[in-house]
Amino acid sequence: MDLLLTHGTVVTMNREREVLADADVFIQDGRIAKIGRGLKVRGAARRVLDVKGQVVMPGLIHGHLHTCQTLFRNHADGLELLDWLRERIWPYEAAHDADSMRASADLTFAELIQSGATAALDMGTVRHYDAVFESARDSGFRLTGGKAMMDTGHSLPAGLRETTEASLAQSLALLERWHGSEGGRLRYAFAPRFVLSCTERLLKEVSRLALEKGVRVHTHASENPTECDLVRQRIGMDNVAYFHSLGLSGPHVTLAHCVWLTAEEQRLLRETGTVMCHCPSSNLKLASGIAKVPELMDAGVHVCLGADGAPCNNNLDLFVEMRLAALLHKPRVGPLATVEGARALGLEKEVGSLEEGKRADVTVVDVRGLHALPTPANVLGVLVYSARSTDVSHVVIDGQLVLKDRQLLTLDALQVAEDARRHAARIVERADL
Ligand SMILES: [Zn+2]
């Protein structure tokens, strides 16, 4: 259905970063058809939402996420990365079945939509990724994702072990089933977990297949000093340099974290156009360190924002990540969660800004709460520093209204909560900790 948002403060995030006061946004056939003041739109079957006093902005985009981990929230605190993985996250991931995976994905997309996010780049666990795509299909969320690939590594539970052949075959089967479906809203991305979980043969095949199939590669790099030491011992190279030597660099590659980079690796990111995803809450909670974001941005590296998994955050809220990134680094972080987020998904021509012709992924934020007053004409600072995700009032994805007056329209919030509790309890019971 067509949708007209009227009288909003429109934060376009276009090249000029225009902010339009008292403007309308007309959405038709899934795209932004027109932006302007006092739009006269013809046609009958139209829905109008008056958003006077509210901000209309591009939907927020997570550049790094694990839908499969949302059910483990609050069950893995006080640990550093490698212990966090071995003692909690991998055993929990191995305890998933298709139903618990669906519950975890439903909970994730419900939380993301309520907090103003419209798209994400996701890494699953080794199995059951169909359930994540099914949840995204039904909830209307814009998902680029793939199953985790893990064909080597110590302390892996049986449920996560896979051969190189099986890992590649299952990834390709998922790609064939889902990539480009729902009018392009769902897309596949190869997700080798990190260097320590992957054989060189697997990474080389991913490098070749990603180019052949025209899909993205999404992985982790240089998150934690111990991880970096182990990689150096085993491979004789640093993470980003090693990935680059295998062809895993370029605008189609998104690397989460990149906290510990050599000058050479920074240069590689810049020269190849590889996207780096900054996850400040996760990096602080797992005591990983603080990525050199201003330095990377000054050097021209593409940096986006992500929440990472719920058990290392412990929420999936890009308003929190924007504020934290701005407080830690003082860069202009607005584009990180929108324009650069779109780049992390390879969708910069389609989403990430409010411009005529782009897909209609739109978030409306009610900035009239006491905690956000007073509001100047340029509301970018309000969005980054004062606004909360609970201020999100409406969300549109691909032209579909999925949140109206804070009510989820494509997911049943009570059912999602009940399923999440039930399946989380079962996973804790089943997991071999
Ligand atoms: Zn991660």
Side-chain angles (χ1 to χ4, degrees):
M1 198 199 288
D2 299 350
L3 175 66
L4 183 63
L5 303 171
T6 60
H7 305 297
T9 300
V10 179
V11 172
T12 63
M13 296 309 289
N14 64 11
R15 197 174 287 273
E16 293 75 33
R17 305 281 187 257
E18 277 176 291
V19 177
L20 310 170
D22 192 19
D24 305 339
V25 177
F26 180 50
I27 293 163
Q28 191 174 39
D29 299 328
R31 292 190 184 270
I32 296 166
K34 200 120 190 79
I35 301 175
R37 292 200 180 90
L39 289 185
K40 297 275 181 287
V41 180
R42 273 184 232 142
R46 189 184 329 117
R47 186 169 203 169
V48 180
L49 281 178
D50 185 347
V51 292
K52 190 172 169 52
Q54 305 193 47
V55 174
V56 182
M57 64 183 286
L60 298 170
I61 301 173
H62 283 264
H64 180 60
L65 184 76
H66 299 267
T67 45
C68 64
Q69 295 175 4
T70 311
L71 288 192
F72 325 147
R73 187 187 343 245
N74 305 322
H75 284 73
D77 297 336
L79 295 163
E80 284 197 33
L81 175 69
L82 296 177
D83 295 332
W84 177 84
L85 283 170
R86 287 179 194 135
E87 292 175 23
R88 294 286 198 288
I89 299 305
W90 286 342
Y92 284 144
E93 284 191 12
H96 258 307
D97 60 20
D99 290 340
S100 62
M101 186 65 90
R102 174 69 194 240
S104 199
D106 283 352
L107 176 62
T108 308
F109 297 131
E111 181 185 1
L112 293 182
I113 290 169
Q114 276 190 334
S115 59
T118 53
L121 181 61
D122 181 56
M123 178 183 292
T125 184
V126 172
R127 300 190 165 81
H128 314 301
Y129 205 76
D130 284 298
V132 179
F133 274 124
E134 285 161 12
S135 173
R137 176 195 62 200
D138 297 343
S139 63
F141 197 78
R142 187 180 300 286
L143 179 74
T144 301
K147 73 169 229 77
M149 305 175 85
M150 305 177 76
D151 68 335
T152 187
H154 300 294
S155 331
L156 269 192
L160 294 188
R161 266 182 232 135
E162 58 175 357
T163 63
T164 311
E165 284 69 27
S167 186
L168 290 163
Q170 282 163 21
S171 298
L172 284 170
L174 283 161
L175 188 158
E176 297 302 331
R177 272 202 291 285
W178 293 102
H179 185 62
S181 64
E182 299 296 306
R185 184 164 56 77
L186 307 182
R187 294 154 60 90
Y188 199 74
F190 286 106
R193 189 144 199 159
F194 68 153
V195 169
L196 298 175
S197 297
C198 300
T199 62
E200 186 157 314
R201 194 157 75 80
L202 181 82
L203 293 173
K204 276 186 177 159
E205 275 301 284
V206 166
S207 169
R208 185 182 70 75
L209 286 166
L211 292 177
E212 184 188 307
K213 302 284 181 186
V215 301
R216 300 193 67 75
V217 180
H218 172 207
T219 184
H220 299 96
S222 304
E223 178 173 358
N224 167 292
T226 313
E227 168 220 342
C228 293
D229 288 346
L230 286 170
V231 170
R232 221 169 284 131
Q233 277 169 31
R234 194 166 307 170
I235 312 286
M237 292 171 92
D238 293 303
N239 277 293
V240 176
Y242 176 55
F243 281 141
H244 178 68
S245 77
L246 302 175
L248 290 171
S249 58
H252 70 297
V253 176
T254 301
L255 301 179
H257 306 304
C258 297
V259 178
W260 302 96
L261 298 180
T262 62
E264 164 71 3
E265 289 182 299
Q266 285 192 24
R267 186 184 64 78
L268 284 174
L269 288 184
R270 183 185 71 237
E271 287 181 5
T272 57
T274 306
V275 181
M276 174 277 210
C277 185
H278 180 43
C279 306
S281 291
S282 166
N283 295 158
L284 291 170
K285 181 163 186 269
L286 297 181
S288 299
I290 298 175
K292 293 179 178 162
V293 169
E295 202 176 309
L296 289 163
M297 286 174 72
D298 283 349
V301 174
H302 294 298
V303 180
C304 67
L305 279 180
D308 204 356
C312 57
N313 191 307
N314 285 0
N315 59 40
L316 305 174
D317 184 339
L318 274 179
F319 282 92
V320 170
E321 302 306 315
M322 273 200 294
R323 183 171 197 274
L324 193 52
L327 293 174
L328 282 170
H329 307 299
K330 289 275 178 289
R332 296 173 56 81
V333 299
L336 304 195
T338 53
V339 179
E340 294 299 333
R343 195 186 305 283
L345 277 64
L347 291 175
E348 63 273 21
K349 292 198 176 73
E350 292 282 22
V351 295
S353 59
L354 300 183
E355 294 178 86
E356 291 172 7
K358 278 200 163 182
R359 305 298 314 183
D361 288 6
V362 183
T363 289
V364 181
V365 188
D366 191 340
V367 293
R368 292 173 294 181
L370 298 181
H371 59 274
L373 292 179
T375 45
N378 189 333
V379 292
L380 281 175
V382 179
L383 294 173
V384 170
Y385 290 111
S386 304
R388 299 172 184 162
S389 56
T390 46
D391 299 333
V392 171
S393 51
H394 314 298
V395 173
V396 176
I397 304 177
D398 219 29
Q400 183 187 12
L401 192 60
V402 291
L403 186 82
K404 181 173 182 291
D405 298 312
R406 288 210 60 66
Q407 297 302 309
L408 291 164
L409 301 183
T410 53
L411 288 144
D412 177 342
L414 290 176
Q415 189 67 49
V416 166
E418 190 191 312
D419 291 347
R421 280 191 209 101
R422 187 158 46 91
H423 285 287
R426 278 196 206 158
I427 283 180
V428 170
E429 232 173 72
R430 276 200 298 260
D432 185 15
L433 294 187

